[in-house]
Amino acid sequence: MMRIKGFIFDYGGTLDTRGNHWGKVLWHGYERTGVPVGEQDFRDAYVYGERTLATSPIVKPYFTFRDTLQAKIRLQLQWLEEKRNLGDATGYLKRILDDVYQQTMQTTKESALVLEELAKKYPLVLVSNFYGNIATVLREFSLDHLFGDIIESAVVGIRKPDARIFALGVERLGMKTEEVAVVGDSYDKDILPSHSIGCHTIWFKGEGWTDEVVENPVADKVIGSLKEILSLAE
């Protein structure tokens, strides 16, 4: 591949959803569990929930991912209950939560197998926009031993797409930017900023939040499965 000495990984959307945007993952959970709402109403509820979590200290450092997911879905259902007269919010909450969390556990197990192999040859650092509980989440999914360091937006006070958060990751690896590959699902938040500081980039491209097509992406590699990294890194 490229002359890589270390890797930086995104978390949400990269290690837990096979590259798919979390909004889409949740929407499909609503579909599977038969929640009677349209996609546009769900999208409005999702945006409301994400903005609320970003501005209110709802997620605590001790929250597991299941706790965090439950908080997200509860906010969405509250919005739908108030704005779209959705009933039985409590019943829907448990069904969606159980469905999506089960899927997340399976996906994360798959990612862990890839990371285990990669960590035998390369140091790994995690760079994530998260709520201050990423260490708890990594322990929950038995991923905490795989990363030499964690750069979390809520802790360092820098959020993607600010390239400085990736620069911190490179610094923690103790390497030059051209020796580091960044793996992420978001073209705007992961690939563009890390490319801008000279890192190699691997875009894990799944189902996006929008149908926008990126013409001539700057990513060095575009993958559809995390396993592809193992062959790239040989």
Side-chain angles (χ1 to χ4, degrees), residues 41-169:
D41 284 340
F42 164 76
R43 291 173 76 92
D44 292 341
Y46 176 83
V47 170
Y48 162 78
E50 292 303 297
R51 287 176 178 170
T52 302
L53 288 175
T55 57
S56 305
I58 294 171
V59 177
K60 307 301 182 186
Y62 56 82
F63 270 30
T64 62
F65 189 78
R66 186 179 175 89
D67 295 332
T68 308
L69 188 58
Q70 181 170 270
K72 286 175 178 280
I73 297 169
R74 179 177 285 117
L75 287 168
Q76 294 160 16
L77 292 173
Q78 285 174 353
W79 188 93
L80 289 166
E81 195 172 31
E82 293 173 12
K83 304 294 185 180
R84 298 296 182 265
N85 299 313
L86 177 69
D88 192 27
T90 302
Y92 291 133
L93 173 59
K94 185 176 185 337
R95 294 212 297 271
I96 302 164
L97 177 61
D98 288 345
D99 176 275
V100 176
Y101 186 70
Q102 182 65 38
Q103 194 174 71
T104 304
M105 287 195 296
Q106 179 57 42
T107 303
T108 309
K109 284 179 183 177
E110 295 169 6
S111 297
L113 294 175
V114 175
L115 294 174
E116 291 275 8
E117 287 302 309
L118 204 60
K120 293 175 182 177
K121 300 179 180 179
Y122 303 92
L124 311 179
V125 163
L126 192 75
V127 172
S128 177
N129 280 356
F130 224 74
Y131 307 102
N133 64 322
I134 193 66
T136 301
V137 171
L138 292 177
R139 286 194 298 272
E140 176 185 6
F141 293 121
S142 300
L143 297 174
D144 51 312
H145 66 290
L146 295 169
F147 296 100
D149 218 325
I150 300 167
I151 313 294
E152 185 177 11
S153 60
V155 175
V156 300
I158 305 171
R159 285 183 64 82
K160 303 173 188 180
D162 190 328
R164 290 179 299 162
I165 196 168
F166 289 103
L168 284 175

Side-chain angles (χ1 to χ4, degrees), residues 13-14 17-21 183-187 191 202-208 210-215 217 219 221-226 228:
T14 298
T17 71
R18 301 187 183 96
N20 299 313
H21 189 283
V183 183
D185 70 297
S186 173
Y187 187 75
I191 304 307
I202 301 172
W203 183 17
F204 191 179
K205 189 175 183 297
E207 187 177 15
T210 69
D211 295 327
E212 181 182 2
V213 176
V214 178
E215 300 287 350
K221 298 289 181 181
V222 180
I223 60 174
S225 166
L226 208 62
E228 293 178 54

